[in-house]
Amino acid sequence: MNELINGILLGGLYAAVSLGMTLVFGVMRLVNLAHGEWVIGAAYFSSVITSRLGLDPLTSLVITIPVVMVVGYVIQRSILNQLLLRGSEPPLVATFGIGIVAQAVFTLIFTGNVKSLDAGWASTGVSIFGETVRTAFVICFGVGVFLVVLLQIGLTRTSFGASLRAASEDPEAAESIGINVRHVYALTMAIAAAISAVAGVLIGTTFSVTPLTGLNWLVVSFTVAVLGGLGSPIGALVGGLVTGLVQTYTGALLGANYNNLVVYGLLVVALVLLPRGIIGRKSM
Amino acid sequence: MINRGPSKLFPKRSTIAGGAVAVIVLIVAFLGPGYLSQNLINLGTTLFTLIVISQSWNLIGGYAGQFSMGQSMLVGLGGYATALILLNSAIPIEWAVVLSGLVAAVAAAIFAVPVLRLRGVSFSIGTLALALAVQAWMVVWKFGGRTIGLNLPELNIRLATQYYVSLTVAVVATVVVAVVAKTTFGLRIMAVRDDEDAAKQVGVNTFVAKFWAFVLSALFAGVAGALILIHNPHIEPRGAFDFNIAVTAIVACVIGGLSTVVGPLIGTVIVFVIQQAFLSYGEYAKVILGIVMLVVILVAPEGLWGLLKRGGPPLMVSTRRILHVRGRSRPKVTSPLD
């Protein structure tokens, strides 16, 4: 029972972590290898704000989100957009380079030590169906589901979502009907950065980060996105739940030492057996 | 590179010049222990080992076009294999080095079955997942000493010997890359790189081609791991599987020029010099390298070596004029996708 509840709650967090990656892939067919750095970078940035201004980590997002959105927009506009025209490998390698720079900058500013965000709700527990779980997990789940629903509605019910989908389906046709595809791509990256920032703050509060944990979150995000079908927000939730449940159950079976090992194994299995995800859709 | 056309009676002037430069560099390098200080011999040994790793990545990530993020794992496995062989058997050290390369190659052959089915970024993240999984496994594996790792007794190998061994392996790795680039096997993996579906349609067994590129790459990575261990006879999971090993190789290849023989050499020297220059300033070297890599991708996608060969900046144009090679038609290397 405990594994079931924890797995589901963790799944919500995993969905939130993976959402930004799946959005970027859905719109521009690019997997951001710096996605993990996007996520933990926000956690690092928020840690500065929380300690300087004494804000709750979630409140600090009011400042963090606009900042990461600008960073995401500028990087997409100045570096990645022009590389996307050259095929799939150049932008991929560029995101790898961005990740390297980010890792190094994190280490320079925050050292290689473990860092976590302080919040009153981080260490308390709450009772669900008679099982005590961490309040942080419940918040992670709530926020994760909220983000998935928000993104899904944004993509399918708003005119901006329509232009995103148009740019995704056929960039040239979208351009010809007056959609500024470069701007749309950059906004997509900005939104992905904002979502990842929320996920990063949740991770920083619930767990902790080091400059190299971005790589682990890259793999987790990709596992979740692949399980759910890359490019689908609802798929990210499904993939998150599957990953969370597999992890908690095998964790109970094998011991916590094998937690990460299980996710990596799951990724390889998912990639080989379910290249199109559980739901089996590839477009948005 | 690929279509040289009918072979000429006399080699190109640029080929002769290139060969002369290579011979001079080799002589200077081989005489190194005669005139270099202990510290420089030490650095040279490390540089040559890095070249081995760069060339090994160049095979899979450059020529075969499979952007692997798992090179650290292969290097780490080579190191652990050497440590375990030396600690648990009477096998002499030179054979342990060769065996370690084979261990990494066999590991790659096994891993290849799932990950080489993956294409593009799935392969990249699949290899990263494998690398992280192997590292996570080593942290809990009792026989490998868990987080503490393994300590070897004093090996008593002269520094000059280590220098020569690393240099020799670096030369062998570079020659192998050069030979591969000229063989039909090389053509097959380059065809996979340029367009996997098209390669398949003209009859290339793409899995087999990628498989051997991956295994050959792992062989050299494993030997490099052994060389690192001999240089510093202690191994533990965090250092042995450090992601920065892969980063160094990838950055070196991208900066110097992917899918070229000389590019990764130039790239590795540049990366190594920057790393050494900023050694006492923490991670600044990595920031600089990352930015240099981004600039190269944006401005000179074919790498610095490609830039030099193409004529590059004005300075190089004048040099080319002096060498009377201007105007000679060069085969264009373009992929059908461009």
Side-chain angles (χ1 to χ4, degrees):
Chain A
M1 191 62 183
N2 197 304
E3 287 82 32
L4 179 69
I5 296 174
N6 273 324
I8 291 174
L9 295 180
L10 205 54
L13 173 67
Y14 286 171
V17 177
S18 157
L19 215 46
M21 169 185 275
T22 216
L23 174 68
V24 168
F25 181 85
V27 173
M28 47 191 128
R29 298 287 176 271
L30 167 70
V31 170
N32 179 6
L33 291 181
H35 180 72
E37 282 71 36
W38 251 221
V39 172
I40 63 163
Y44 275 125
F45 188 78
S46 280
S47 76
V48 175
I49 295 174
T50 46
S51 61
R52 287 278 160 83
L53 304 178
L55 295 173
D56 183 86
L58 283 177
T59 322
S60 74
L61 282 168
V62 178
I63 302 169
T64 307
I65 286 181
V67 172
V68 297
M69 284 186 86
V70 170
V71 174
Y73 189 94
V74 169
I75 286 180
Q76 182 68 37
R77 215 59 218 240
S78 62
I79 301 174
L80 297 177
N81 265 348
Q82 47 179 313
L83 293 179
L84 280 167
L85 300 172
R86 277 206 234 134
S88 61
E89 184 159 316
L92 186 77
V93 181
T95 59
F96 181 78
I98 293 166
I100 295 171
V101 176
Q103 278 171 22
V105 170
F106 299 155
T107 315
L108 279 173
I109 303 176
F110 302 99
T111 75
N113 297 333
V114 174
K115 183 141 194 118
S116 57
L117 297 168
D118 295 321
W121 44 272
S123 50
T124 58
V126 63
S127 180
I128 300 178
F129 302 119
E131 295 279 343
T132 308
V133 294
R134 291 179 64 186
T135 316
F137 278 21
V138 179
I139 293 177
C140 286
F141 179 76
V143 173
V145 172
F146 171 74
L147 287 174
V148 169
V149 172
L150 194 69
L151 184 63
Q152 184 71 26
I153 290 174
L155 284 173
T156 52
R157 298 273 185 275
T158 65
S159 64
F160 176 67
S163 59
L164 270 190
R165 281 180 292 135
S168 158
E169 289 287 329
D170 189 341
E172 279 166 28
E175 191 80 51
S176 73
I177 57 166
I179 294 171
N180 184 346
V181 173
R182 287 170 171 268
H183 178 64
V184 167
Y185 278 6
L187 277 181
T188 305
M189 190 56 98
I191 294 167
I195 297 171
S196 306
V198 180
V201 167
L202 292 175
I203 287 169
T205 319
T206 315
F207 305 107
S208 58
V209 294
T210 72
L212 284 178
T213 37
L215 290 172
N216 296 296
W217 288 111
L218 170 68
V219 174
V220 170
S221 305
F222 197 69
T223 309
V224 169
V226 166
L227 276 171
L230 265 167
S232 151
I234 299 291
L237 187 58
V238 175
L241 292 175
V242 171
T243 311
L245 287 169
V246 169
Q247 205 179 25
T248 50
Y249 274 103
T250 51
L253 217 64
L254 301 173
N257 269 339
Y258 294 89
N259 249 348
N260 285 331
L261 220 55
V262 168
V263 174
Y264 308 141
L266 186 64
L267 170 70
V268 176
V269 172
L271 285 170
V272 173
L273 298 182
L274 301 164
R276 283 175 182 273
I278 295 169
I279 305 180
R281 274 187 320 167
K282 221 176 172 183
S283 64
M284 302 180 58
Chain B
M1 279 299 277
I2 303 168
N3 295 312
R4 282 272 157 151
S7 67
K8 298 182 184 73
L9 196 54
F10 300 104
K12 280 201 242 170
R13 211 176 284 221
S14 59
T15 313
I16 298 174
V21 171
V23 168
I24 293 169
V25 168
L26 269 180
I27 290 174
V28 170
F30 262 98
L31 295 177
Y35 58 85
L36 294 173
S37 68
Q38 286 294 94
N39 186 31
L40 285 174
I41 299 176
N42 217 339
L43 288 176
T45 311
T46 308
L47 173 66
F48 300 140
T49 311
L50 289 179
I51 286 177
V52 176
I53 304 174
S54 296
Q55 291 291 26
S56 100
W57 193 82
N58 189 25
L59 276 171
I60 185 73
Y63 284 97
Q66 311 298 311
F67 193 87
S68 167
M69 289 167 79
Q71 218 65 10
S72 319
M73 162 186 76
L74 300 169
V75 174
L77 284 176
Y80 263 95
T82 317
L84 289 170
I85 290 168
L86 291 180
L87 282 173
N88 298 296
S89 76
I91 295 172
I93 196 159
E94 49 272 34
W95 285 107
V97 172
V98 176
L99 268 178
S100 304
L102 291 176
V103 167
V106 169
I110 296 166
F111 292 144
V113 176
V115 294
L116 280 180
R117 286 165 197 273
L118 311 174
R119 284 204 190 177
V121 69
S122 293
F123 173 80
S124 307
I125 298 184
T127 48
L128 174 63
L130 273 177
L132 293 171
V134 170
Q135 189 178 27
W137 172 255
M138 282 298 177
V139 170
V140 294
W141 193 41
K142 201 179 161 202
F143 197 52
R146 300 217 171 95
T147 46
I148 298 156
L150 300 165
N151 268 311
L152 292 188
E154 200 55 53
L155 293 171
N156 289 323
I157 301 174
R158 281 180 55 234
L159 199 54
T161 313
Q162 294 183 28
Y163 177 94
Y164 282 124
V165 171
S166 294
L167 175 57
T168 310
V169 179
V171 171
V172 171
T174 306
V175 169
V176 165
V177 169
V179 170
V180 162
K182 299 277 181 202
T183 56
T184 50
F185 166 65
L187 283 177
R188 271 189 231 116
I189 59 175
M190 285 186 265
V192 171
R193 173 196 67 195
D194 292 340
D195 189 337
E196 190 162 343
D197 289 320
K200 208 172 240 171
Q201 277 183 359
V202 296
V204 175
N205 188 333
T206 55
F207 181 84
V208 171
K210 289 194 287 183
F211 178 86
W212 287 113
F214 197 44
V215 169
L216 191 58
S217 166
L219 180 75
F220 281 109
V223 171
L227 296 178
I228 293 173
L229 182 81
I230 289 169
H231 198 56
N232 175 21
H234 170 76
I235 192 165
E236 46 81 34
R238 264 182 76 167
F241 296 96
D242 190 353
F243 186 63
N244 285 322
I245 299 171
V247 168
T248 303
I250 295 172
V251 173
C253 288
V254 172
I255 290 179
L258 287 170
S259 308
T260 62
V261 179
V262 185
L265 300 176
I266 299 174
T268 311
V269 172
I270 293 173
V271 169
F272 188 65
V273 167
I274 293 178
Q275 281 174 346
Q276 291 302 319
F278 289 88
L279 207 54
S280 48
Y281 302 96
E283 295 282 278
Y284 278 109
K286 217 169 145 190
V287 177
I288 295 168
L289 289 175
I291 292 172
V292 170
M293 176 171 159
L294 285 172
V295 171
V296 167
I297 296 169
L298 286 169
V299 189
E302 69 276 63
L304 294 180
W305 178 241
L307 199 69
L308 282 174
K309 276 203 303 189
R310 200 181 51 182
L315 180 72
M316 288 313 298
V317 174
S318 60
T319 323
R320 294 175 65 85
R321 203 169 286 144
I322 295 163
L323 291 170
H324 303 288
V325 288
R326 199 172 66 120
R328 197 185 287 274
S329 69
R330 290 180 301 282
K332 264 177 77 181
V333 185
T334 49
S335 83
L337 284 173
D338 290 338

